[in-house]
Amino acid sequence: MRRTSLIAVLALLTALFVGASGRPPSSHWVATWTAMPQLTEPSNLPPAPYTGTDRVLDNASLRQTAHVTAGGPRIRLRFSNAFGGAPLPLSAVTVARPVAGAAGVSSVVPGSVLPVTFHGKAATVVPVGAQVVSDPLPFPVRPFENITVTTYLARGQASLAITSHPGSRTTSYLGPGDQVAAADLTGATPVDHWYFLSGVEVLSPVSAVAIIGDSLSDGRGSTTNGNDRWPDVLAARVPTAVLNQAAGGNRVLQDGLGPNVLARLDRDLLAQSGVSRAIVFEGVNDIGTATPADAADVAGQLIDAYDQILVRAHAAGIDVYGATLTPFGGNTAYDAPEREAARQRVNAWIREPGHFDAVLDFDRVARDPALPARLLPAYDVGDHLHLNPAGYRAVGSSVPAHLFRTG
């Protein structure tokens, strides 16, 4: 066989072997952005006229921003109906580039809109309690790029029990009718929540770290549309995708805002594509909502729960880094000597060698050296529990980058 013919045959075989899957052999699907699904509280349902007596988003479009942390040549989307009271019918979905690459804007770059399909179809129905993953899309993304996802529901979802992530710290937009291909939404209503969209995946050779947390990771006190939560700061420093699987008010042991960590671990950690590491930074709400008399018992239960997380994650080949609980001294609801003693006991266990695969001492970073039971004033958003952007920057910058190196 002539050399030119051999080259042509090899090229064809390469195209069949590699191109059929749409990715080079070293790449795999990895989550690059997530929003922890929650049951939507009545106060966080879409505003009028988008919530009716028995359904939401009837003949309406929803435009949302996702801030990806790892790049790649193709993406696919995840939509969740984990807490829906009825099937979720998605009539049409598109992905696009937001104007100026900004988060929380209603306009997209003309010509950048790409239809999303599900098994080759424009529409799909997400069963109650389920999720769907879209077909792969030839939509290249860069690390830290904002993308716009627009969803149209022709008849809405026939329930007032719907799935969302209220603490988005990112502005979404609602508009009447089918506007998935519109450069800008007509009659747009802004809402600072995410609905239905629970993940973006990308073809990439990198892995992901999932952050299991509460409002301190969800970003209460951060800048709306600023992407300056501490997980965002971490993402800019490490060669992995970073998944924020946190929700304000969440607890490790008991349901609150979202299911407890032990109940949601399979969905929010173990079932996420490409995760090789996890960071657990949660427990302050368990201690803070315990009665002073029960605080010591709760500390012991938290330690047992951390051990369960380690057992289950390690069985899946996931390393787990434990973050110490930051101070809440001076907070009106949480401050009590018994609760502070519980926090100190839990932190001592987290720091003890042989438990977590690595320790992230956020308590040391955020506390006031003169008053260790309190946050450093320069990092305190004002409620003596949550951090401001400077505090989140300090915490995110304190994580050793070498923990995320590969090879």
Side-chain angles (χ1 to χ4, degrees):
M1 182 181 294
R2 290 189 305 175
R3 186 172 185 272
T4 54
S5 299
L6 179 59
I7 291 173
V9 170
L10 290 173
L12 177 60
L13 290 173
T14 299
L16 290 173
F17 181 71
V18 177
S21 64
R23 64 184 188 272
S26 61
S27 292
H28 55 266
W29 287 109
V30 60
T32 185
W33 174 89
T34 56
M36 176 192 147
Q38 298 173 244
L39 175 64
T40 309
E41 300 170 277
S43 61
N44 290 323
L45 286 166
Y50 298 102
T51 293
T53 57
D54 63 351
R55 68 185 56 234
V56 299
L57 297 171
D58 188 9
N59 187 31
S61 294
L62 166 65
R63 180 159 284 179
Q64 307 180 90
T65 300
H67 184 70
V68 304
T69 56
R74 290 176 178 250
I75 65 169
R76 59 188 188 186
L77 309 180
R78 287 194 186 201
F79 290 87
S80 175
N81 194 23
F83 301 99
L88 171 62
L90 306 177
S91 304
V93 180
T94 61
V95 64
R97 316 276 181 194
V99 166
V105 297
S106 63
S107 301
V108 300
V109 176
S112 71
V113 178
L114 183 69
V116 177
T117 59
F118 304 86
H119 199 63
K121 304 179 181 73
T124 192
V125 176
V126 190
V128 171
Q131 67 170 334
V132 297
V133 182
S134 77
D135 297 333
L137 305 168
F139 191 85
V141 295
R142 302 181 307 276
F144 320 120
E145 182 177 4
N146 293 308
I147 65 172
T148 299
V149 178
T150 308
T151 307
Y152 172 57
L153 288 77
R155 300 191 61 190
Q157 185 171 14
S159 175
L160 298 188
I162 67 171
T163 303
S164 71
H165 188 88
S168 63
R169 275 86 201 182
T170 305
T171 305
S172 302
Y173 293 87
L174 309 173
D178 181 357
Q179 300 192 55
V180 294
D184 200 359
L185 293 190
T186 301
T189 298
V191 290
D192 288 344
H193 310 305
W194 286 311
Y195 298 101
F196 312 133
L197 183 67
S198 64
V200 179
E201 297 182 347
V202 65
L203 276 175
S204 172
V206 307
S207 62
V209 54
I211 295 167
I212 305 300
D214 49 36
S215 57
L216 285 159
S217 299
D218 204 24
R220 182 168 177 177
S222 64
T223 307
T224 298
N225 299 317
N227 290 311
D228 56 7
R229 316 163 190 85
W230 77 261
D232 300 310
V233 176
L234 175 65
R237 301 179 50 243
V238 297
T240 61
V242 176
L243 312 180
N244 194 333
Q245 296 287 62
N250 197 241
R251 292 184 287 185
V252 175
L253 302 170
Q254 308 238 0
D255 291 352
L257 296 181
N260 67 79
V261 168
L262 295 181
R264 68 183 179 91
L265 196 69
D266 290 276
R267 183 195 68 208
D268 294 341
L269 174 61
L270 305 182
Q272 294 300 315
S273 299
V275 171
S276 64
R277 300 172 181 86
I279 295 173
V280 177
F281 178 36
E282 187 160 357
V284 70
N285 291 324
D286 297 82
I287 294 171
T289 58
T291 66
D294 290 338
D297 287 340
V298 168
Q301 293 169 33
L302 270 176
I303 290 169
D304 291 344
Y306 294 149
D307 190 57
Q308 277 290 299
I309 294 168
L310 285 162
V311 167
R312 294 171 63 187
H314 285 165
I318 297 172
D319 289 340
V320 186
Y321 306 154
T324 53
L325 304 182
T326 48
F328 47 73
N331 179 268
T332 303
Y334 285 11
D335 191 8
E338 296 88 348
R339 295 184 183 124
E340 173 61 13
R343 185 181 75 91
Q344 293 292 348
R345 178 184 170 192
V346 168
N347 281 351
W349 188 88
I350 292 172
R351 291 185 179 107
E352 187 175 331
H355 296 152
F356 285 99
D357 297 295
V359 176
L360 311 179
D361 205 342
F362 290 173
D363 171 47
R364 180 187 58 78
V365 174
R367 71 192 181 204
D368 184 345
L371 296 167
R374 290 177 174 254
L375 292 172
L376 191 71
Y379 295 163
D380 190 342
V381 77
D383 65 0
H384 310 302
L385 174 62
H386 297 98
L387 302 175
N388 58 25
Y392 288 130
R393 186 164 54 252
V395 166
S397 299
S398 73
V399 180
H402 71 81
L403 294 174
F404 303 89
R405 291 178 188 151
T406 58

